[in-house]
Every structure is written in C-alpha cells, then in structure tokens.
Amino acid sequence: MTTDAFQLSPDDRKLLPSDEEVEFYQEHGWYLSRKLLTDDEVDTLVEASERFYGGHRDRTLPVRPPRLAYWEPSRGDVHRHNDYIFYEDDTVRRILSKPVIAAVAARIAQTSQIRLWNSTLIYKPPRPEDEGTIVPWHFDRHYWQTCTSDEMLTAFIPFHDCDEEMGTITMVDGSHRWKEVGGNDATTRHFAERDRSELDEMLEENAAFNNETVRKVPVVIPKGHISFHHCRTYHGSGVNRSDSPRRAISFHLQDRTNQYRPFQISTGEKVVYNNDVLVRQTPDGHPDYTDPEFCPVLWQEQA
C-alpha cells in the first residue's frame, strides 16, 4: 500500500478524537467516535453481509484454523459469528479500509501504525428469550496471549442505530486499568467455551481485588459511528429485544509494537491463535503478525 493511501482529507481530520477524547479513552478504556461511515457505506455493509450469508465469497481461507468461529446455514437462525470477513469479502475490506477508521484507533491508542488483527461478522437475532445470544463479561487480551502488546484494541461497528434494546455492546468503565486477581489458564478459552456464571464471578472478583465498583456503560451507537475499546476492557452484550436483527462487525486491531511471543499454559500446552496457522513465518520460524495478506497496515503516520 502506498503512502498516499494514508492521507486524510480536511473533513476526515475533523473526525479525529480531540485531546480530551484521547484522555477519556486512556482513562475509561472505550471511546465512541464521530460518524466515520456514511449511510450508504453502512447500507452496503448490510447488503454485503446478506450476500455472504447466501454463500458469496471473494476468497476463502487456505486452511481452517483450530478455533474458527464460522456460522453456516445448516445451523439455522442463531447468534452468528464469522471470523475473517475482512479477508473473505472485498466489499467489507474496501469500506473498512477507510484510513480515517484506523487513524482514529491510532490516535486513541497513541501509536503511529495500526494493523488488522482479525475481523468477525456478527448477527444477533431478535429473540429476547434466547440467552444463548448473551455475550458474557470478558476482555479480548485474554485470548491474545501470543501477542506482546497490551495496547491492542477493537472497533465495534454496527450496521444501524444500536441501543440497549438491540443488545448493544456494554463496557465496564475503567476496567482496562485493573490488575487481575491471578493467572488462570481458563482465560485463554473463548467466552463461548465457558460458563457465563464463571465469567460473572471473575468480573466481580477482579473488581473487588482492585477496590473498584463494576460500572456498566451500555454504548448507544448511532448509525455510522463506531465504538472502540481497549483490549483489557471488560465488555459484553445482552439479548436483542428489538424486532430487527443486530448486525455488526467486530474489528480487532494491532498497534505498531505488537509481535508474536510463545505462550504456554500450566500443562505445557502451547497456545495457538487462529492467525498463527494462516500468516507467513518470520526468519526464526514464528508467526509474522505483520503479514500483509492477513494483517495489513490500515494506517501509517506520515513522517
């Protein structure tokens, strides 16, 4: 990608967070952006997602990673997650490659470069009785133990106005600054593989350990705006009580410093993140988290 791709227009620059908003993110662990996507772009994402659910792929993964989340029509109208949507769909890739999105991420994370880490297409059906659509309390850093950085972040991008009724993302305010009670191998397992009550208990224990109160903030996101959160911010979401599906992409991002590190749990088992079987290798034989095919640079500060 040429350096011209990382130029912002004067209008784009007006969308960047202010100094006060950067301070807010650093203190609270989350940030709601200005309108970064046009209505047409958001509507195009809806259309692209429907084509995807109908079977369209611009490319497919060369191998299937070990913990791939990948809804298929045979599973029915359930809570859907499809990893690597940025890789598999060119329309999604084009829209989410808008430099202003990653430039906002770079500014709040205080880094000069943002690379893609992963991306997940999400569909939460309007079924308030289905507790299987609840996303329990967790933070993303637990799943990224093979990463060296503690400054990675996620952009949550709904395809419509998204409020509490729809089961919007909810942050535990300031929790990215907490110290953890202690190491626990189970935290490397995705929340879908764990009991929700166990995760609720973990949140309360960590809050008590830090002499903090759990302050839950549902983020009401207008269409075209994006919610960003720090990789150590506890978050989750409730059921969708509206009459429409909640559609979104979870867009995980790396800062400049991030690279691979070997990580083992107490049994001696080596932790493998899905990217590890897809990206190219470094000269010393480790996964290369700068692989342009799966972890492209989305923003680069100009000298």
Coordinates of all heavy atoms in Angstrom, one line a residue, residues 123-130 133-134 160 163-168 237-247:
Y123 N -24.2 -11.4 13.8 CA -25.7 -11.3 13.6 C -26.4 -11.8 14.9 O -26.2 -13.0 15.2 CB -26.1 -12.1 12.4 CG -27.6 -12.1 12.0 CD1 -28.1 -11.4 11.0 CD2 -28.4 -13.0 12.7 CE1 -29.4 -11.5 10.6 CE2 -29.8 -13.0 12.4 CZ -30.2 -12.3 11.3 OH -31.6 -12.4 11.0
K124 N -27.0 -10.9 15.6 CA -27.7 -11.3 16.8 C -29.2 -11.2 16.5 O -29.8 -10.1 16.3 CB -27.4 -10.4 18.0 CG -28.1 -10.7 19.3 CD -27.6 -9.9 20.4 CE -26.2 -10.3 20.9 NZ -25.9 -9.8 22.2
P125 N -29.9 -12.4 16.4 CA -31.3 -12.4 16.1 C -32.2 -11.8 17.2 O -31.8 -11.7 18.3 CB -31.7 -13.9 15.9 CG -30.7 -14.6 16.8 CD -29.4 -13.7 16.7
P126 N -33.4 -11.2 16.8 CA -34.3 -10.6 17.8 C -35.1 -11.6 18.5 O -36.3 -11.8 18.3 CB -35.2 -9.7 16.9 CG -35.2 -10.4 15.6 CD -33.9 -11.1 15.4
R127 N -34.4 -12.3 19.5 CA -35.1 -13.3 20.3 C -34.7 -13.1 21.8 O -33.7 -13.6 22.3 CB -34.6 -14.7 19.9 CG -35.2 -15.1 18.5 CD -35.4 -16.6 18.5 NE -34.1 -17.3 18.6 CZ -33.2 -17.5 17.6 NH1 -33.5 -17.2 16.4 NH2 -32.1 -18.1 17.8
P128 N -35.5 -12.3 22.5 CA -35.2 -11.9 23.9 C -35.2 -13.1 24.8 O -34.6 -13.1 25.9 CB -36.2 -10.9 24.3 CG -37.3 -11.1 23.3 CD -36.7 -11.6 22.0
E129 N -35.9 -14.2 24.4 CA -35.9 -15.4 25.2 C -34.7 -16.3 25.1 O -34.5 -17.2 25.9 CB -37.2 -16.2 24.9 CG -37.1 -17.0 23.6 CD -37.2 -16.2 22.3 OE1 -37.5 -15.0 22.4 OE2 -37.0 -16.7 21.2
D130 N -33.8 -16.0 24.1 CA -32.7 -16.9 23.8 C -31.4 -16.4 24.5 O -30.7 -15.5 24.1 CB -32.5 -16.9 22.3 CG -31.3 -17.9 21.9 OD1 -30.7 -18.5 22.8 OD2 -31.0 -18.0 20.7
T133 N -27.8 -15.8 23.1 CA -27.3 -14.7 22.4 C -26.6 -13.7 23.3 O -26.1 -12.6 22.8 CB -28.5 -13.9 21.7 OG1 -29.4 -13.4 22.6 CG2 -29.2 -14.9 20.7
I134 N -26.6 -13.9 24.6 CA -25.9 -13.1 25.5 C -24.4 -13.3 25.4 O -23.9 -14.4 25.4 CB -26.3 -13.4 27.0 CG1 -27.8 -13.0 27.2 CG2 -25.4 -12.6 28.0 CD1 -28.3 -13.4 28.6
H160 N -26.4 -0.1 11.9 CA -27.6 0.6 12.1 C -27.5 1.3 13.5 O -26.5 1.2 14.2 CB -28.8 -0.4 12.2 CG -28.5 -1.6 13.0 ND1 -28.2 -1.6 14.3 CD2 -28.3 -2.9 12.6 CE1 -27.9 -2.8 14.7 NE2 -27.9 -3.6 13.7
D163 N -28.8 0.4 20.2 CA -29.0 0.8 21.6 C -29.2 -0.4 22.5 O -29.0 -1.6 22.1 CB -30.3 1.7 21.7 CG -31.5 1.1 21.1 OD1 -31.5 -0.2 20.9 OD2 -32.5 1.8 20.9
E164 N -29.6 -0.2 23.8 CA -29.8 -1.2 24.7 C -30.8 -2.3 24.3 O -30.6 -3.5 24.6 CB -30.2 -0.6 26.1 CG -29.0 -0.1 26.9 CD -29.4 0.3 28.3 OE1 -29.4 -0.7 29.1 OE2 -29.8 1.4 28.6
E165 N -31.9 -1.8 23.7 CA -32.9 -2.7 23.2 C -32.4 -3.8 22.3 O -32.8 -4.9 22.3 CB -34.1 -2.0 22.6 CG -35.3 -2.9 22.2 CD -36.4 -2.1 21.6 OE1 -36.1 -1.1 20.8 OE2 -37.5 -2.5 21.8
M166 N -31.4 -3.4 21.4 CA -30.8 -4.3 20.5 C -29.7 -5.1 21.0 O -29.1 -6.0 20.4 CB -30.3 -3.5 19.3 CG -31.4 -2.8 18.5 SD -30.8 -2.4 16.8 CE -31.2 -3.9 16.0
G167 N -29.3 -4.9 22.3 CA -28.2 -5.6 22.9 C -26.9 -5.0 22.5 O -26.0 -5.8 22.1
T168 N -26.8 -3.7 22.6 CA -25.5 -3.1 22.2 C -24.4 -3.5 23.1 O -24.6 -4.1 24.2 CB -25.7 -1.5 22.2 OG1 -24.5 -0.9 21.6 CG2 -25.8 -1.0 23.7
S237 N -22.6 -8.1 26.1 CA -23.8 -7.6 25.5 C -25.0 -8.5 25.8 O -24.8 -9.7 26.1 CB -23.7 -7.4 24.0 OG -23.6 -8.7 23.3
G238 N -26.2 -7.9 25.9 CA -27.4 -8.7 26.3 C -28.1 -9.2 25.1 O -27.7 -9.1 23.9
V239 N -29.3 -9.7 25.3 CA -30.2 -10.2 24.3 C -30.7 -9.0 23.4 O -30.7 -7.9 23.8 CB -31.4 -11.0 24.8 CG1 -30.9 -12.2 25.6 CG2 -32.2 -10.1 25.7
N240 N -31.2 -9.4 22.2 CA -31.8 -8.4 21.3 C -33.3 -8.4 21.5 O -34.0 -9.4 21.2 CB -31.4 -8.8 19.9 CG -32.0 -7.8 18.9 OD1 -32.7 -6.9 19.2 ND2 -31.7 -8.0 17.6
R241 N -33.8 -7.3 22.2 CA -35.2 -7.3 22.5 C -36.0 -6.5 21.4 O -37.2 -6.2 21.6 CB -35.4 -6.6 23.9 CG -34.9 -7.5 25.0 CD -35.1 -6.8 26.4 NE -34.1 -5.7 26.6 CZ -34.3 -4.4 26.5 NH1 -35.6 -4.0 26.3 NH2 -33.4 -3.5 26.8
S242 N -35.3 -6.1 20.3 CA -36.0 -5.3 19.3 C -36.7 -6.3 18.3 O -36.7 -7.5 18.5 CB -35.0 -4.4 18.5 OG -34.2 -5.2 17.7
D243 N -37.2 -5.7 17.2 CA -37.9 -6.6 16.2 C -37.0 -6.7 15.0 O -37.5 -7.2 14.0 CB -39.2 -6.0 15.9 CG -39.2 -4.6 15.4 OD1 -38.1 -4.0 15.2 OD2 -40.2 -4.0 15.1
S244 N -35.7 -6.3 15.1 CA -34.8 -6.5 14.0 C -33.5 -7.1 14.4 O -33.1 -7.0 15.6 CB -34.5 -5.1 13.4 OG -35.6 -4.4 13.0
P245 N -32.8 -7.8 13.5 CA -31.5 -8.4 13.9 C -30.5 -7.3 14.2 O -30.5 -6.2 13.6 CB -31.1 -9.2 12.7 CG -31.9 -8.6 11.5 CD -33.1 -8.1 12.1
R246 N -29.6 -7.6 15.1 CA -28.5 -6.7 15.4 C -27.3 -7.2 14.5 O -26.8 -8.3 14.7 CB -28.1 -6.7 16.9 CG -27.2 -5.5 17.3 CD -26.4 -5.8 18.5 NE -25.3 -6.8 18.2 CZ -24.4 -7.2 19.1 NH1 -24.4 -6.8 20.3 NH2 -23.4 -8.0 18.7
R247 N -26.9 -6.3 13.6 CA -25.8 -6.7 12.7 C -24.6 -5.8 13.0 O -24.7 -4.6 13.2 CB -26.2 -6.4 11.2 CG -27.5 -7.1 10.8 CD -28.0 -6.6 9.4 NE -29.2 -7.2 9.0 CZ -29.4 -8.3 8.2 NH1 -28.3 -8.9 7.8 NH2 -30.5 -8.7 7.8

